[in-house]
PDB file of all heavy atoms in Angstrom:
ATOM      1  N   SER A   1       0.201 -16.975 -20.087  1.00  0.00           N
ATOM      2  CA  SER A   1       1.291 -17.934 -20.225  1.00  0.00           C
ATOM      3  C   SER A   1       1.620 -18.470 -18.880  1.00  0.00           C
ATOM      4  O   SER A   1       2.664 -19.274 -18.741  1.00  0.00           O
ATOM      5  CB  SER A   1       2.478 -17.086 -20.834  1.00  0.00           C
ATOM      6  OG  SER A   1       2.793 -16.031 -19.796  1.00  0.00           O
ATOM      7  N   GLU A   2       0.999 -18.091 -17.788  1.00  0.00           N
ATOM      8  CA  GLU A   2       1.229 -18.733 -16.498  1.00  0.00           C
ATOM      9  C   GLU A   2       1.003 -20.136 -16.492  1.00  0.00           C
ATOM     10  O   GLU A   2      -0.001 -20.592 -16.997  1.00  0.00           O
ATOM     11  CB  GLU A   2       0.408 -17.972 -15.371  1.00  0.00           C
ATOM     12  CG  GLU A   2       0.890 -16.465 -15.201  1.00  0.00           C
ATOM     13  CD  GLU A   2       2.225 -16.340 -14.516  1.00  0.00           C
ATOM     14  OE1 GLU A   2       2.608 -17.391 -13.825  1.00  0.00           O
ATOM     15  OE2 GLU A   2       2.757 -15.279 -14.618  1.00  0.00           O
ATOM     16  N   PRO A   3       1.820 -20.945 -15.804  1.00  0.00           N
ATOM     17  CA  PRO A   3       1.605 -22.370 -15.699  1.00  0.00           C
ATOM     18  C   PRO A   3       0.266 -22.707 -14.977  1.00  0.00           C
ATOM     19  O   PRO A   3      -0.114 -21.846 -14.186  1.00  0.00           O
ATOM     20  CB  PRO A   3       2.705 -22.938 -14.967  1.00  0.00           C
ATOM     21  CG  PRO A   3       3.826 -21.882 -15.076  1.00  0.00           C
ATOM     22  CD  PRO A   3       3.155 -20.543 -15.254  1.00  0.00           C
ATOM     23  N   MET A   4      -0.513 -23.756 -15.285  1.00  0.00           N
ATOM     24  CA  MET A   4      -1.728 -24.078 -14.665  1.00  0.00           C
ATOM     25  C   MET A   4      -1.501 -24.338 -13.173  1.00  0.00           C
ATOM     26  O   MET A   4      -2.628 -23.966 -12.393  1.00  0.00           O
ATOM     27  CB  MET A   4      -2.252 -25.403 -15.354  1.00  0.00           C
ATOM     28  CG  MET A   4      -2.608 -25.220 -16.751  1.00  0.00           C
ATOM     29  SD  MET A   4      -3.920 -23.992 -17.026  1.00  0.00           S
ATOM     30  CE  MET A   4      -5.213 -24.686 -16.260  1.00  0.00           C
ATOM     31  N   GLY A   5      -0.475 -24.807 -12.623  1.00  0.00           N
ATOM     32  CA  GLY A   5      -0.475 -25.201 -11.306  1.00  0.00           C
ATOM     33  C   GLY A   5      -0.091 -23.927 -10.379  1.00  0.00           C
ATOM     34  O   GLY A   5      -0.250 -23.942  -9.113  1.00  0.00           O
ATOM     35  N   ARG A   6       0.380 -22.873 -10.984  1.00  0.00           N
ATOM     36  CA  ARG A   6       0.805 -21.677 -10.212  1.00  0.00           C
ATOM     37  C   ARG A   6      -0.384 -20.670 -10.041  1.00  0.00           C
ATOM     38  O   ARG A   6      -1.208 -20.622 -10.860  1.00  0.00           O
ATOM     39  CB  ARG A   6       1.977 -21.003 -10.880  1.00  0.00           C
ATOM     40  CG  ARG A   6       3.263 -21.860 -10.960  1.00  0.00           C
ATOM     41  CD  ARG A   6       4.388 -21.105 -11.759  1.00  0.00           C
ATOM     42  NE  ARG A   6       4.679 -19.858 -11.125  1.00  0.00           N
ATOM     43  CZ  ARG A   6       5.629 -19.015 -11.660  1.00  0.00           C
ATOM     44  NH1 ARG A   6       6.218 -19.511 -12.749  1.00  0.00           N
ATOM     45  NH2 ARG A   6       5.885 -17.882 -11.053  1.00  0.00           N
ATOM     46  N   LYS A   7      -0.273 -19.809  -9.033  1.00  0.00           N
ATOM     47  CA  LYS A   7      -1.205 -18.858  -8.738  1.00  0.00           C
ATOM     48  C   LYS A   7      -1.278 -17.799  -9.851  1.00  0.00           C
ATOM     49  O   LYS A   7      -0.198 -17.296 -10.250  1.00  0.00           O
ATOM     50  CB  LYS A   7      -1.102 -18.141  -7.405  1.00  0.00           C
ATOM     51  CG  LYS A   7      -2.132 -17.152  -6.983  1.00  0.00           C
ATOM     52  CD  LYS A   7      -1.890 -16.662  -5.634  1.00  0.00           C
ATOM     53  CE  LYS A   7      -3.005 -15.749  -5.215  1.00  0.00           C
ATOM     54  NZ  LYS A   7      -2.788 -15.166  -3.889  1.00  0.00           N
ATOM     55  N   LYS A   8      -2.486 -17.512 -10.358  1.00  0.00           N
ATOM     56  CA  LYS A   8      -2.538 -16.642 -11.577  1.00  0.00           C
ATOM     57  C   LYS A   8      -2.259 -15.229 -11.134  1.00  0.00           C
ATOM     58  O   LYS A   8      -2.652 -14.633 -10.029  1.00  0.00           O
ATOM     59  CB  LYS A   8      -3.901 -16.713 -12.177  1.00  0.00           C
ATOM     60  CG  LYS A   8      -4.208 -18.052 -12.752  1.00  0.00           C
ATOM     61  CD  LYS A   8      -5.642 -18.224 -13.301  1.00  0.00           C
ATOM     62  CE  LYS A   8      -5.853 -19.596 -13.823  1.00  0.00           C
ATOM     63  NZ  LYS A   8      -7.195 -19.693 -14.292  1.00  0.00           N
ATOM     64  N   ARG A   9      -1.580 -14.367 -11.867  1.00  0.00           N
ATOM     65  CA  ARG A   9      -1.269 -13.005 -11.651  1.00  0.00           C
ATOM     66  C   ARG A   9      -2.146 -11.987 -12.567  1.00  0.00           C
ATOM     67  O   ARG A   9      -2.435 -12.303 -13.726  1.00  0.00           O
ATOM     68  CB  ARG A   9       0.241 -12.786 -11.967  1.00  0.00           C
ATOM     69  CG  ARG A   9       1.122 -13.516 -10.998  1.00  0.00           C
ATOM     70  CD  ARG A   9       2.627 -13.042 -11.292  1.00  0.00           C
ATOM     71  NE  ARG A   9       2.916 -13.426 -12.690  1.00  0.00           N
ATOM     72  CZ  ARG A   9       3.986 -12.837 -13.307  1.00  0.00           C
ATOM     73  NH1 ARG A   9       4.910 -12.152 -12.641  1.00  0.00           N
ATOM     74  NH2 ARG A   9       4.370 -13.291 -14.497  1.00  0.00           N
ATOM     75  N   PHE A  10      -2.597 -11.045 -11.862  1.00  0.00           N
ATOM     76  CA  PHE A  10      -3.412  -9.975 -12.548  1.00  0.00           C
ATOM     77  C   PHE A  10      -2.707  -8.720 -12.465  1.00  0.00           C
ATOM     78  O   PHE A  10      -2.104  -8.356 -11.453  1.00  0.00           O
ATOM     79  CB  PHE A  10      -4.762  -9.841 -11.967  1.00  0.00           C
ATOM     80  CG  PHE A  10      -5.709 -11.161 -12.080  1.00  0.00           C
ATOM     81  CD1 PHE A  10      -5.567 -12.188 -11.221  1.00  0.00           C
ATOM     82  CD2 PHE A  10      -6.602 -11.214 -13.211  1.00  0.00           C
ATOM     83  CE1 PHE A  10      -6.423 -13.281 -11.441  1.00  0.00           C
ATOM     84  CE2 PHE A  10      -7.382 -12.309 -13.400  1.00  0.00           C
ATOM     85  CZ  PHE A  10      -7.309 -13.373 -12.501  1.00  0.00           C
ATOM     86  N   TYR A  11      -2.789  -7.925 -13.628  1.00  0.00           N
ATOM     87  CA  TYR A  11      -2.239  -6.633 -13.671  1.00  0.00           C
ATOM     88  C   TYR A  11      -3.209  -5.507 -13.681  1.00  0.00           C
ATOM     89  O   TYR A  11      -4.175  -5.559 -14.610  1.00  0.00           O
ATOM     90  CB  TYR A  11      -1.287  -6.550 -14.920  1.00  0.00           C
ATOM     91  CG  TYR A  11      -0.208  -7.582 -15.021  1.00  0.00           C
ATOM     92  CD1 TYR A  11      -0.390  -8.786 -15.786  1.00  0.00           C
ATOM     93  CD2 TYR A  11       0.993  -7.369 -14.336  1.00  0.00           C
ATOM     94  CE1 TYR A  11       0.525  -9.707 -15.661  1.00  0.00           C
ATOM     95  CE2 TYR A  11       1.997  -8.318 -14.376  1.00  0.00           C
ATOM     96  CZ  TYR A  11       1.790  -9.483 -15.186  1.00  0.00           C
ATOM     97  OH  TYR A  11       2.718 -10.551 -15.053  1.00  0.00           O
ATOM     98  N   ARG A  12      -3.094  -4.580 -12.838  1.00  0.00           N
ATOM     99  CA  ARG A  12      -4.189  -3.479 -12.726  1.00  0.00           C
ATOM    100  C   ARG A  12      -3.497  -2.320 -13.389  1.00  0.00           C
ATOM    101  O   ARG A  12      -2.466  -1.996 -13.374  1.00  0.00           O
ATOM    102  CB  ARG A  12      -4.353  -3.088 -11.276  1.00  0.00           C
ATOM    103  CG  ARG A  12      -4.603  -4.284 -10.375  1.00  0.00           C
ATOM    104  CD  ARG A  12      -5.933  -4.989 -10.679  1.00  0.00           C
ATOM    105  NE  ARG A  12      -7.067  -4.068 -10.446  1.00  0.00           N
ATOM    106  CZ  ARG A  12      -8.364  -4.478 -10.660  1.00  0.00           C
ATOM    107  NH1 ARG A  12      -8.638  -5.692 -11.043  1.00  0.00           N
ATOM    108  NH2 ARG A  12      -9.373  -3.650 -10.391  1.00  0.00           N
ATOM    109  N   HIS A  13      -4.473  -1.597 -14.253  1.00  0.00           N
ATOM    110  CA  HIS A  13      -4.044  -0.463 -15.041  1.00  0.00           C
ATOM    111  C   HIS A  13      -4.596   0.732 -14.410  1.00  0.00           C
ATOM    112  O   HIS A  13      -5.732   0.665 -13.791  1.00  0.00           O
ATOM    113  CB  HIS A  13      -4.428  -0.648 -16.474  1.00  0.00           C
ATOM    114  CG  HIS A  13      -3.947  -1.813 -17.210  1.00  0.00           C
ATOM    115  ND1 HIS A  13      -2.521  -2.111 -17.028  1.00  0.00           N
ATOM    116  CD2 HIS A  13      -4.556  -2.822 -17.901  1.00  0.00           C
ATOM    117  CE1 HIS A  13      -2.356  -3.283 -17.808  1.00  0.00           C
ATOM    118  NE2 HIS A  13      -3.504  -3.638 -18.356  1.00  0.00           N
ATOM    119  N   THR A  14      -3.917   1.793 -14.636  1.00  0.00           N
ATOM    120  CA  THR A  14      -4.591   3.133 -14.137  1.00  0.00           C
ATOM    121  C   THR A  14      -5.591   3.604 -15.037  1.00  0.00           C
ATOM    122  O   THR A  14      -5.597   3.222 -16.238  1.00  0.00           O
ATOM    123  CB  THR A  14      -3.323   4.104 -14.023  1.00  0.00           C
ATOM    124  OG1 THR A  14      -2.872   4.402 -15.312  1.00  0.00           O
ATOM    125  CG2 THR A  14      -2.264   3.608 -13.164  1.00  0.00           C
ATOM    126  N   PRO A  15      -6.491   4.533 -14.664  1.00  0.00           N
ATOM    127  CA  PRO A  15      -7.489   5.031 -15.566  1.00  0.00           C
ATOM    128  C   PRO A  15      -6.877   5.722 -16.776  1.00  0.00           C
ATOM    129  O   PRO A  15      -7.473   5.575 -17.781  1.00  0.00           O
ATOM    130  CB  PRO A  15      -8.222   6.096 -14.572  1.00  0.00           C
ATOM    131  CG  PRO A  15      -8.018   5.642 -13.150  1.00  0.00           C
ATOM    132  CD  PRO A  15      -6.620   4.962 -13.164  1.00  0.00           C
ATOM    133  N   GLN A  16      -5.789   6.492 -16.560  1.00  0.00           N
ATOM    134  CA  GLN A  16      -5.197   7.076 -17.763  1.00  0.00           C
ATOM    135  C   GLN A  16      -4.577   6.028 -18.868  1.00  0.00           C
ATOM    136  O   GLN A  16      -4.883   6.166 -19.990  1.00  0.00           O
ATOM    137  CB  GLN A  16      -3.869   7.851 -17.345  1.00  0.00           C
ATOM    138  CG  GLN A  16      -3.326   8.630 -18.452  1.00  0.00           C
ATOM    139  CD  GLN A  16      -2.002   9.414 -18.020  1.00  0.00           C
ATOM    140  OE1 GLN A  16      -1.724   9.505 -16.884  1.00  0.00           O
ATOM    141  NE2 GLN A  16      -1.329  10.046 -18.907  1.00  0.00           N
ATOM    142  N   GLN A  17      -4.113   4.922 -18.343  1.00  0.00           N
ATOM    143  CA  GLN A  17      -3.673   3.837 -19.191  1.00  0.00           C
ATOM    144  C   GLN A  17      -4.869   3.194 -19.942  1.00  0.00           C
ATOM    145  O   GLN A  17      -4.857   2.950 -21.117  1.00  0.00           O
ATOM    146  CB  GLN A  17      -2.894   2.738 -18.459  1.00  0.00           C
ATOM    147  CG  GLN A  17      -1.481   3.204 -17.882  1.00  0.00           C
ATOM    148  CD  GLN A  17      -0.909   2.203 -17.061  1.00  0.00           C
ATOM    149  OE1 GLN A  17      -1.609   1.444 -16.341  1.00  0.00           O
ATOM    150  NE2 GLN A  17       0.373   2.229 -16.965  1.00  0.00           N
ATOM    151  N   ILE A  18      -5.935   3.027 -19.171  1.00  0.00           N
ATOM    152  CA  ILE A  18      -7.183   2.384 -19.849  1.00  0.00           C
ATOM    153  C   ILE A  18      -7.698   3.334 -20.893  1.00  0.00           C
ATOM    154  O   ILE A  18      -8.088   2.905 -21.935  1.00  0.00           O
ATOM    155  CB  ILE A  18      -8.196   2.082 -18.762  1.00  0.00           C
ATOM    156  CG1 ILE A  18      -7.750   1.016 -17.813  1.00  0.00           C
ATOM    157  CG2 ILE A  18      -9.477   1.571 -19.385  1.00  0.00           C
ATOM    158  CD1 ILE A  18      -8.491   0.729 -16.586  1.00  0.00           C
ATOM    159  N   GLN A  19      -7.744   4.603 -20.608  1.00  0.00           N
ATOM    160  CA  GLN A  19      -8.231   5.680 -21.517  1.00  0.00           C
ATOM    161  C   GLN A  19      -7.478   5.601 -22.821  1.00  0.00           C
ATOM    162  O   GLN A  19      -8.020   5.627 -23.950  1.00  0.00           O
ATOM    163  CB  GLN A  19      -8.291   7.053 -20.899  1.00  0.00           C
ATOM    164  CG  GLN A  19      -8.944   8.031 -21.805  1.00  0.00           C
ATOM    165  CD  GLN A  19      -8.866   9.415 -21.064  1.00  0.00           C
ATOM    166  OE1 GLN A  19      -8.550   9.483 -19.894  1.00  0.00           O
ATOM    167  NE2 GLN A  19      -9.525  10.448 -21.669  1.00  0.00           N
ATOM    168  N   GLU A  20      -6.082   5.601 -22.661  1.00  0.00           N
ATOM    169  CA  GLU A  20      -5.202   5.585 -23.846  1.00  0.00           C
ATOM    170  C   GLU A  20      -5.361   4.211 -24.698  1.00  0.00           C
ATOM    171  O   GLU A  20      -5.464   4.255 -25.969  1.00  0.00           O
ATOM    172  CB  GLU A  20      -3.830   5.789 -23.405  1.00  0.00           C
ATOM    173  CG  GLU A  20      -3.431   7.163 -22.898  1.00  0.00           C
ATOM    174  CD  GLU A  20      -3.544   8.228 -23.950  1.00  0.00           C
ATOM    175  OE1 GLU A  20      -3.497   7.913 -25.150  1.00  0.00           O
ATOM    176  OE2 GLU A  20      -3.793   9.392 -23.532  1.00  0.00           O
ATOM    177  N   LEU A  21      -5.517   3.127 -23.906  1.00  0.00           N
ATOM    178  CA  LEU A  21      -5.708   1.939 -24.606  1.00  0.00           C
ATOM    179  C   LEU A  21      -7.128   1.869 -25.427  1.00  0.00           C
ATOM    180  O   LEU A  21      -7.226   1.345 -26.539  1.00  0.00           O
ATOM    181  CB  LEU A  21      -5.559   0.703 -23.707  1.00  0.00           C
ATOM    182  CG  LEU A  21      -4.277   0.419 -23.047  1.00  0.00           C
ATOM    183  CD1 LEU A  21      -4.360  -0.543 -21.853  1.00  0.00           C
ATOM    184  CD2 LEU A  21      -3.255  -0.111 -24.207  1.00  0.00           C
ATOM    185  N   GLU A  22      -8.203   2.347 -24.776  1.00  0.00           N
ATOM    186  CA  GLU A  22      -9.513   2.412 -25.418  1.00  0.00           C
ATOM    187  C   GLU A  22      -9.388   3.148 -26.607  1.00  0.00           C
ATOM    188  O   GLU A  22     -10.050   2.846 -27.574  1.00  0.00           O
ATOM    189  CB  GLU A  22     -10.515   2.926 -24.396  1.00  0.00           C
ATOM    190  CG  GLU A  22     -10.812   1.869 -23.296  1.00  0.00           C
ATOM    191  CD  GLU A  22     -11.624   0.702 -23.691  1.00  0.00           C
ATOM    192  OE1 GLU A  22     -12.044   0.617 -24.900  1.00  0.00           O
ATOM    193  OE2 GLU A  22     -11.960  -0.052 -22.846  1.00  0.00           O
ATOM    194  N   ALA A  23      -8.767   4.357 -26.531  1.00  0.00           N
ATOM    195  CA  ALA A  23      -8.750   5.209 -27.748  1.00  0.00           C
ATOM    196  C   ALA A  23      -8.025   4.601 -28.920  1.00  0.00           C
ATOM    197  O   ALA A  23      -8.315   4.662 -29.993  1.00  0.00           O
ATOM    198  CB  ALA A  23      -8.108   6.587 -27.325  1.00  0.00           C
ATOM    199  N   MET A  24      -6.935   3.835 -28.581  1.00  0.00           N
ATOM    200  CA  MET A  24      -6.190   3.179 -29.682  1.00  0.00           C
ATOM    201  C   MET A  24      -7.001   2.051 -30.152  1.00  0.00           C
ATOM    202  O   MET A  24      -7.057   1.780 -31.393  1.00  0.00           O
ATOM    203  CB  MET A  24      -4.941   2.645 -28.973  1.00  0.00           C
ATOM    204  CG  MET A  24      -4.065   1.948 -30.078  1.00  0.00           C
ATOM    205  SD  MET A  24      -3.495   3.116 -31.360  1.00  0.00           S
ATOM    206  CE  MET A  24      -2.596   1.998 -32.446  1.00  0.00           C
ATOM    207  N   PHE A  25      -7.749   1.290 -29.343  1.00  0.00           N
ATOM    208  CA  PHE A  25      -8.735   0.207 -29.636  1.00  0.00           C
ATOM    209  C   PHE A  25      -9.626   0.544 -30.801  1.00  0.00           C
ATOM    210  O   PHE A  25      -9.920  -0.115 -31.733  1.00  0.00           O
ATOM    211  CB  PHE A  25      -9.214  -0.508 -28.584  1.00  0.00           C
ATOM    212  CG  PHE A  25     -10.006  -1.749 -28.946  1.00  0.00           C
ATOM    213  CD1 PHE A  25      -9.359  -2.970 -29.210  1.00  0.00           C
ATOM    214  CD2 PHE A  25     -11.376  -1.714 -29.158  1.00  0.00           C
ATOM    215  CE1 PHE A  25     -10.002  -4.152 -29.496  1.00  0.00           C
ATOM    216  CE2 PHE A  25     -12.053  -2.889 -29.436  1.00  0.00           C
ATOM    217  CZ  PHE A  25     -11.366  -4.112 -29.613  1.00  0.00           C
TER     218      PHE A  25
END
């Protein structure tokens, strides 16, 4: 949803968050 002209933002997740998301996926 970031506008094209603005610098893109990236969100880093912790290993625990990734593990929970993968399990749910």
Side-chain angles (χ1 to χ4, degrees):
S1 63
E2 289 289 339
M4 295 297 294
R6 295 176 58 183
K7 187 176 180 180
K8 299 177 181 179
R9 293 183 298 167
F10 291 86
Y11 301 98
R12 311 295 295 183
H13 302 314
T14 64
Q16 180 182 1
Q17 290 173 334
I18 295 173
Q19 184 177 2
E20 293 291 338
L21 290 170
E22 290 283 0
M24 184 61 185
F25 185 82

